[in-house]
Amino acid sequence: VTDLVERLAVIVGPSNVLVGDDIPEELTHDEALTASPQVPAAVVRPDSAAEVAAVVALAAELGLAVTARGSGTGLSGACVPSPGGLLVSFERMAAILELDLDNHVAVVQPGVTLDQLDEATAEVGLVYPVFPGESSASLGGNVATNAGGMRAIKYGVTRHQVLGLEAVTGTGEIIRTGGRFVKSSNAYDLTQLIVGSEGTLALVTEATLRLYPRPPHVATVLAPFATLAAATGATPAIVGQGIGPLLVEYIDGLAMGGIVAHAGLDLGVAVAVREQAQAYLVVVIEQRRQDRLAEDVEELAVLLAELGALDVYVLPDHAGTQLIEAREKAFWAAKAAGADDIVDVVVPRSAMAAYITRVNAMASATASLITGCGHVGDGNVHLSVFQPDPEVRHGLVHDMIVAGVAMGGAVSGEHGLGIEKREIFLELADPAQLVLMRQIKVAFDPAGILNPEVAR
Amino acid sequence: VTDLVERLAVIVGPSNVLVGDDIPEELTHDEALTASPQVPAAVVRPDSAAEVAAVVALAAELGLAVTARGSGTGLSGACVPSPGGLLVSFERMAAILELDLDNHVAVVQPGVTLDQLDEATAEVGLVYPVFPGESSASLGGNVATNAGGMRAIKYGVTRHQVLGLEAVTGTGEIIRTGGRFVKSSNAYDLTQLIVGSEGTLALVTEATLRLYPRPPHVATVLAPFATLAAATGATPAIVGQGIGPLLVEYIDGLAMGGIVAHAGLDLGVAVAVREQAQAYLVVVIEQRRQDRLAEDVEELAVLLAELGALDVYVLPDHAGTQLIEAREKAFWAAKAAGADDIVDVVVPRSAMAAYITRVNAMASATASLITGCGHVGDGNVHLSVFQPDPEVRHGLVHDMIVAGVAMGGAVSGEHGLGIEKREIFLELADPAQLVLMRQIKVAFDPAGILNPEVAR
């Protein structure tokens, strides 16, 4: 270990190599509920792509695992270190290198947080539109998991915003992909291959991201429905109306109770309505003109009533903002309520109601409680599972994911596989595609050192 | 050959195997100006993924090249057959399998044309938004080249619309990727890897595509500028205004003359203005409400005048439609005028004016003529090169592409590499990335039979 520390210190400086008791506890885990913390042999804090490349080259030489870490806000254990390996923390690579106003592009280092980028882009009237719900998350982590979030219905997910990358492969080589353009047709798109690969193909050291004009006016509409099927069934018409909502969320009655209580919110929903409402739709609209926003809200309210909403509430600005912020913290509300696990399956949005009905039957059969909310506009379900018995819970979560995939969905909508969903992904994946993926992995990382806990 | 024909006939039926003089001339080439036609050993017309898989498996067994062909409208020679190989024509796999109105998704076979899909989606108020300029193009070809086109500034390119694929790899295995959802984070994204791979990794047998509400109201605004730099320099402000234009095109004075003459158009631009105008911007706006369209056009016209437009013309519906249609046929206008080659470099849009100035200097230095138009909103330049001497022309085109890449661009914005740009791509590519790409190629196609003319 002394030899290793010395060689790392030559690369990043002695103060940027941490071992033993100097490793903060928070670096041993992310926010996943069921992944066990692990202590790496050393934490390394590089401040340039060249330093990252040298660290990876050394790790390849020594056969040490390398795990990348941004803010550690992930929910699947994808940045939990390998015991005996290196943890590369990007806390010193946290600069917005450029806001390019001519091309509407931001060039960022991986440690930049969504908050930081949002503040900088707001000053110039632009926005980076991906909001996965935790704004202290890093862009490097967002790229690694292909982070989604509530606004995906309007803007797409991280993959749609990443125009180019600088990254270090498993051999310690630095590659630069893409550029400041939306379009190109130049052989295989390595940018898109690295996005979502959870640090198993390369460590991202710089990302070129697409920015958009920031619409100044925003309104939040809340519509309680008698049944979940009625709420989710309203979505195609809402999207088809052409207003272009920024987000369409469903929140079930229980989850809404938790969110509202956790945030101390009063949304003004009458008790009689609340008692009937098994599910809520939250629709947010943004516009560049206040007059159009008012018109759109009016049109939307009429449509929601036609679609069977029990009532329609146009929330005052502060309440709308609070509700969305509280919704973004739904994970924390669930955690505070004692949730034992979470599931983020994605299904075709038309299958959402049937999927949740199915899942509720599974909950009954196992004496478990499942509550949730989700991005109904894009079929991404977020369910909290309350079941203290680990064996029962494991079987239930397994069956919930199997059911989602069987309905045309996928294991993870946006959290990534990490170490938590690796096994079930392998169980459900097409063997032919696993063979392709393993060969891709070998191409980028012949020594198999990049996040080996996830890529098995 | 008799043995081969018999074995193919067992798979697809005798009437769907063509050899010798029965092979139509049009199947020996696409629309690339400089690629030589080639006659394959046989043309095969499968009608299912299973038949495609059986054909590819046979080709792998025999070591025969396999080239996929949709409508043959490509501009880079990517579907020119290999001499002695098989050409898989998708003319019999041309069905829209489903328009899923709940999920806003179309499921299509590769031979479906953009025209066909546009007609079907229009009937239900939806739109598939990629318009690369040739609406007889097939969706399979669009996926293979990651087709872009004028509307990329609003909707992105083909890659952003492809939610899932069914495809046959080089071993004859059928894989299914993605699904009817926008979002997922499930290991490596094979969908995105196949998009743009020009038939070198897999043959696409089905695509799941994202649809959008079709805005009913459209207006076209034409603004002549004294210089190209003034025209392209106006773009960030136009995009930043937040109107969300459907397209922002520039057309240089010469190209506009060609387009207008070729289409027999009268745009009503005064002679005095025309004489001063070295470049035109064409901006198209779409809206779901006529009143908002009128307001947006007014705001845009004011902005264009502030940005230095010599005049601003709001074209009557028929003239606007004709201009866009004529612009879409710019390639044919250039071909009719005797263009010897075309270039579709993409550069950061802020570099467009400097790039074209640079290219014009190259034209002067070689006594060539370069004229063009392009998607200024996304930095994609389309230049026609008039230079009859093949050697001079080859050097000029080479230097034009090198200059684009040096300015932060890429070899091809949307046509793909094909056989025309393969060499220069290899010359300019990062060797480390070529190594990765070659290993990916081997993973999908160990025998190296899929479009070997392109993947070398």
Side-chain angles (χ1 to χ4, degrees), chain B residues 123-176:
Chain B
E123 280 177 21
V124 292
L126 297 175
V127 67
Y128 176 71
V130 179
F131 274 75
E134 178 52 59
S135 56
S136 69
S138 71
L139 268 308
N142 272 226
V143 171
T145 55
N146 185 26
M150 294 198 262
R151 299 184 185 177
I153 188 173
K154 176 161 182 181
Y155 290 104
V157 298
T158 300
R159 161 174 319 290
H160 303 116
Q161 323 307 336
V162 181
L163 304 179
L165 292 173
E166 179 190 72
V168 174
T169 66
T171 56
E173 275 171 301
I174 300 173
I175 61 173
R176 292 192 73 92

Side-chain angles (χ1 to χ4, degrees), chain A residues 359-392:
Chain A
V359 152
N360 284 335
M362 292 178 180
S364 300
T366 55
S368 311
L369 175 66
I370 295 175
T371 173
C373 48
H375 314 308
V376 67
D378 51 54
N380 191 186
V381 191
H382 287 283
L383 298 170
S384 300
V385 179
F386 296 79
Q387 170 50 260
D389 183 302
E391 201 170 323
V392 175

Side-chain angles (χ1 to χ4, degrees), chain A residues 23-30 35-40 69 79-81 87:
Chain A
I23 297 175
E25 188 274 338
E26 63 167 36
L27 296 188
T28 63
H29 61 85
D30 64 3
S36 307
Q38 301 291 345
V39 181
R69 181 188 176 90
C79 72
V80 175
L87 182 73

